[in-house]
Amino acid sequence: MTASKTYPVPEAIKSSTHLNAATYAEMYTRSIEEPEAFWAQSATMLEWYKQPTKIKNTHFGKNEVSIKWFEDGQLNASYNCIDRHLANNAKKVAFHWEGDSPEDSLDVTYQEVHYEVCKLANALKEMGVAKGDRVAIYMPMVPEAAYAMLACARIGAVHSVIFGGFSPNAIADRINDSKAKVVITADEGRRAGRSIPLKANVDKALANDACPSITHVVVHKLTGGDVDWNEKHDVWWHDAVEDCSGQCEPEVMNAEDPLFILYTSGSTGTPKGVVHTTGGYLLYSAMTFKYAFDYQEDDIYWCTADVGWITGHSYMVYGPMVNAATQVFFEGVPTYPDVKRIAQVVEKYKVNSLYTAPTAIRALMAHGDKPAEGCDLSSLRILGTVGEPINPEAWDWYHRVIGESRCPIIDTWWQTETGGHMILPLPGATSLKPGSATRPFFGIQPALFDADGNELEGEAEGNLVIKDSWPAQARTVYGDHERFINTYFSAYEGVYFTGDGARRDEDDYFWITGRVDDVLNVSGHRLGTAEIESALVAHAKVAEAAVVGFPHDIKGQGIYVYVTPNEGVVADEALTKELKAWVRQELSPIATPDMIQWSDGLPKTRSGKIMRRILRKIAANEHDQLGDTSTLADPSVVDTLIAERLNK
Ligand code: ATP
Ligand code: MG
């Protein structure tokens, strides 16, 4: 591979950031050498009822894993996100809510959030929800989704947010796994001008007593659309809170009391109910938010994620709100009503930092420079990305067209299980290389292991592990601690196995190469999916590409590629040849695709990640073994791909 371009910290932001290269290095070293002192001091970022004195008590073993941080500390997450700010920031806007339609918007202050959260918290208590009980939340992207999460946190109930695009089956599975007492939903959601029957989906999930743990269904009236009503358990949100007080004393929680359960995306298998606890998670999400986006008091921050994902938990609710941030809270999608929506919203609210996903960037990039045309993006200072490796091509587009070649791109590698950012550049401290998540956050010790469990030193490529615990680490898989141990701690003794592969370069920068399960072994050479896909996307005629291995008599594994061409491109035999030659030249002859199948769409999770495990089955002609497909955004894509499977 040709050496990639490096982007130094922009002069324009250098003098004003929280950290520079020297302070990052100094703090990082301290976080590793004196973790107890480092985290004890960091913990003062939160307000505690009882300051923790026991900081870290963690053990990773093949048979036993126990993770405790700040274990004698007491606090409340909702208090830290709201009440703390009322003295000085009561009138500060917490959410600039921007509706699916550009006509709809609403500002909500911290004072108003407090009132709404307290009312709902009291209503939940009246329904019999107590500390430790689980509450499912199946909501569209309206402020009530955040109120619901914070109301649970306030009374010590454990929330389990279910993405608003999931089907009745997926809802029922998640409710039953966590035995939730209450589900909070809305009549309907809205997405790109269409309405989503949220209440009807909950009705279907609950039909025939399929979720016996549920005693109440709380329904927020959003669109006023028709809904069926079950007198036994349905209650309108506005009725439930009507007689409730706007004051609700926060429950005193132990740092290790669970805050929420969240199911992973299901890219690699059946989703796991990841459990996060209160103290460590809250501190780490707040701290990473502050440093990743170099948050300053008057910033306007916008994350385009959905609260149904961990990004929506850590970087739309808990992290920003502990910092008393003002955020844009967006109901819609980046391409509706058209591809300029993101730029228009940035202009409207003078957004300073924007955090989105490669899938959204690629969707916009397919339209050239049009997504930014005529919009004033001069307020932007920092851009972020999360969810998948970002192809250098997409990075360049994001940097040039949205960031006007001025804003650093913070490529954040992390997972539902990690609770917060793990490997990322920090705006004032780290030079950037497009496609690299760069360096670890404080307290994080990434390492590369080979298949036999040997640690690899220096420049190397291998399986990415984390050598010691960090405060926001998941504590268990809900109800299945054995699965937790097996998934993350059984591959290698004494370390957390991420399931991702990575390469470390000559500057100790990390490059995520893709899922370990997706790694190809072609004639004895190990190839990550990310690099081949990036090479393909860099071709002018390619919009998106997904690479998987398939059984090959001679090579062991052959390279099977699904390519979505750009609009207007004729996908023919000549283009197949052109793309094969292109990858050969860009990467290496070993990486030359054996087969290229054209596809209008790729199977993706609802959070936009390509599900290569399904593509692998299609390529191998094992259509009857697709595995869990419940988290697919559009299952019909799969049928089309199977029908068009190349039979060469
Ligand atoms: P499951 O664990 O159920 O298979 P999932 O891994 O897709 O689902 P998430 O926790 O939402 O669920 O995704 C985390 C994964 O996303 C990471 O392990 C990594 O593969 C990928 N990822 C996230 N951010 C980045 C990034 N900046 N660069 C590269 N990969 C990323
Ligand atoms: Mg995962």
Side-chain angles (χ1 to χ4, degrees):
M1 276 266 286
T2 44
S4 59
K5 194 169 166 190
T6 300
Y7 293 78
V9 173
E11 287 301 327
I13 68 167
K14 219 173 192 168
S15 57
S16 59
T17 49
H18 291 302
L19 296 170
N20 58 36
T23 49
Y24 162 73
E26 182 265 322
M27 280 173 75
Y28 180 76
T29 306
R30 196 151 46 87
S31 74
I32 303 302
E33 288 176 357
E34 301 164 58
E36 302 255 342
F38 179 87
W39 289 112
Q41 190 194 357
S42 301
T44 59
M45 187 175 178
L46 300 180
E47 209 171 302
W48 301 78
Y49 298 121
K50 179 178 181 297
Q51 283 282 338
T53 62
K54 296 183 184 159
I55 304 303
K56 179 175 187 284
N57 178 6
T58 64
H59 173 75
F60 296 175
K62 278 200 173 180
N63 299 312
E64 194 206 324
V65 174
S66 139
I67 302 163
K68 290 183 182 143
W69 283 86
F70 311 117
E71 62 186 295
D72 63 343
Q74 292 175 340
L75 76 169
N76 181 284
S78 138
Y79 178 89
N80 273 277
C81 289
I82 314 169
D83 305 46
R84 254 184 112 178
H85 311 317
L86 296 183
N88 299 319
N89 282 317
K91 296 276 150 47
K92 189 172 178 182
V93 171
F95 302 124
H96 289 298
W97 176 74
E98 169 79 10
D100 184 51
S101 156
E103 318 271 282
D104 294 338
S105 61
L106 177 78
D107 286 352
V108 186
T109 64
Y110 273 93
Q111 178 90 65
E112 288 163 337
V113 171
H114 179 260
Y115 179 77
E116 299 291 347
V117 167
C118 285
K119 290 200 78 127
L120 182 64
N122 284 324
L124 289 172
K125 278 202 220 170
E126 275 182 16
M127 289 171 209
V129 178
K131 182 171 171 173
D133 288 342
R134 277 79 56 209
V135 172
I137 298 175
Y138 181 67
M139 288 286 285
M141 284 296 296
V142 290
E144 282 76 9
Y147 304 159
M149 292 163 73
L150 292 163
C152 290
R154 196 163 192 90
I155 62 173
V158 179
H159 58 72
S160 164
V161 181
I162 303 169
F163 172 58
F166 279 148
S167 65
N169 275 341
I171 302 169
D173 286 350
R174 285 163 177 73
I175 288 177
N176 288 331
D177 189 62
S178 65
K179 303 206 171 45
K181 264 195 179 171
V182 171
V183 51
I184 304 176
T185 188
D187 48 5
E188 294 175 316
R190 297 172 290 221
R191 233 174 123 74
R194 288 175 293 112
S195 68
I196 317 278
L198 297 177
K199 169 67 165 64
N201 285 345
V202 172
D203 291 345
K204 282 184 197 152
L206 267 52
N208 305 319
D209 210 16
C211 302
S213 59
I214 294 290
T215 61
H216 293 81
V217 178
V218 180
V219 187
H220 168 54
K221 193 175 224 159
L222 179 65
T223 65
D226 277 347
V227 289
D228 288 343
W229 207 251
N230 183 331
E231 295 295 342
K232 202 172 111 203
H233 50 49
D234 292 350
V235 47
W236 286 110
W237 178 313
H238 57 260
D239 288 338
V241 302
E242 192 178 358
D243 296 327
C244 292
S245 158
Q247 294 291 334
C248 173
E249 203 52 39
E251 192 76 32
V252 175
M253 304 298 286
N254 181 274
E256 281 301 332
D257 284 334
L259 180 60
F260 64 84
I261 302 168
L262 183 63
Y263 293 83
T264 56
S265 310
S267 306
T268 57
T270 316
K272 300 169 278 278
V274 167
V275 177
H276 281 290
T277 57
T278 307
Y281 170 83
L282 196 67
L283 172 65
Y284 195 84
S285 58
M287 209 170 147
T288 46
F289 171 79
K290 172 177 164 182
Y291 291 121
F293 303 105
D294 191 51
Y295 173 70
Q296 312 280 344
E297 212 180 312
D298 296 321
D299 275 359
I300 310 290
Y301 161 82
W302 180 19
C303 170
T304 68
D306 188 286
V307 288
W309 310 123
I310 188 69
T311 309
H313 285 57
S314 303
Y315 301 109
M316 295 185 72
V317 178
Y318 294 108
M321 293 188 78
V322 167
N323 284 279
T326 297
Q327 335 181 36
V328 176
F329 201 90
F330 180 44
E331 184 185 26
V333 300
T335 47
Y336 177 81
D338 60 54
V339 298
K340 286 193 189 174
R341 187 71 189 278
I342 293 256
Q344 284 163 347
V345 174
V346 167
E347 175 176 313
K348 177 172 175 185
Y349 297 103
K350 300 195 170 42
V351 171
N352 304 110
S353 35
L354 171 67
Y355 192 28
T356 190
T359 181
I361 296 167
R362 287 193 300 262
L364 296 179
M365 184 173 75
H367 302 270
D369 292 2
K370 198 170 156 212
E373 255 167 34
C375 298
D376 180 1
L377 300 177
S378 60
S379 58
L380 284 173
R381 207 162 54 90
I382 285 156
L383 302 177
T385 141
V386 58
E388 285 179 290
I390 180 163
N391 328 106
E393 182 80 358
W395 196 102
D396 285 337
W397 182 90
Y398 194 29
H399 187 252
R400 180 177 61 79
V401 178
I402 302 297
E404 300 180 329
S405 305
R406 179 168 40 79
C407 308
I409 294 183
I410 307 308
D411 177 358
T412 60
W413 174 81
W414 59 298
Q415 311 177 298
T416 308
E417 300 89 336
T418 70
H421 299 149
M422 300 290 279
I423 302 183
L424 76 163
L426 299 172
T430 322
S431 301
L432 308 172
K433 297 185 191 186
S436 171
T438 78
R439 309 272 296 130
F441 192 72
F442 304 131
I444 306 304
Q445 300 181 58
L448 301 175
F449 276 38
D450 70 13
D452 304 322
N454 304 306
E455 183 171 353
L456 307 170
E457 303 293 338
E459 280 180 63
E461 184 168 336
N463 296 342
L464 179 62
V465 308
I466 311 294
K467 288 171 101 172
D468 199 356
S469 184
W470 62 98
Q473 179 168 27
R475 303 305 195 244
T476 191
V477 167
Y478 191 76
D480 198 349
H481 197 61
E482 207 174 306
R483 186 172 179 203
F484 183 66
I485 298 177
N486 287 339
T487 311
Y488 310 107
F489 301 93
S490 67
Y492 303 113
E493 181 73 43
V495 299
Y496 169 82
F497 174 48
T498 66
D500 287 343
R503 178 163 64 83
R504 185 171 45 219
D505 74 9
E506 66 281 9
D507 296 318
D508 279 346
Y509 274 36
F510 286 89
W511 301 71
I512 308 300
T513 52
R515 317 271 178 168
V516 169
D517 294 350
D518 293 337
V519 168
L520 280 57
N521 193 330
V522 180
S523 310
H525 298 274
R526 287 166 61 77
L527 296 171
T529 49
E531 276 191 334
I532 309 178
E533 288 166 8
S534 286
L536 285 158
V537 174
H539 189 282
K541 293 181 185 164
V542 174
E544 194 151 45
V547 170
V548 296
F550 73 103
H552 190 288
D553 291 345
I554 300 155
K555 302 182 187 176
Q557 265 188 323
I559 300 177
Y560 195 104
V561 183
Y562 299 82
V563 170
T564 309
N566 273 330
E567 227 172 79
V569 168
V570 184
D572 56 9
E573 198 52 35
L575 185 56
T576 301
K577 280 198 183 129
E578 195 179 321
L579 292 181
K580 287 185 180 179
W582 169 264
V583 175
R584 194 182 173 86
Q585 172 213 319
E586 286 288 295
L587 268 183
S588 113
I590 299 158
T592 311
D594 293 283
M595 296 206 209
I596 296 182
Q597 174 172 346
W598 309 114
S599 62
D600 285 338
L602 294 169
K604 290 186 183 170
T605 64
R606 303 282 184 148
S607 53
K609 297 173 205 283
I610 298 169
M611 272 215 221
R612 291 180 195 76
R613 65 177 162 88
I614 290 181
L615 292 172
R616 211 157 41 226
K617 293 290 180 195
I618 298 175
N621 268 325
E622 294 170 350
H623 311 151
D624 50 340
Q625 304 166 33
L626 294 182
D628 187 332
T629 54
S630 67
T631 60
L632 271 178
D634 176 9
S636 72
V637 167
V638 173
D639 301 329
T640 314
L641 288 174
I642 291 175
E644 292 172 0
R645 159 76 172 82
L646 298 176
N647 281 308
K648 292 180 192 164

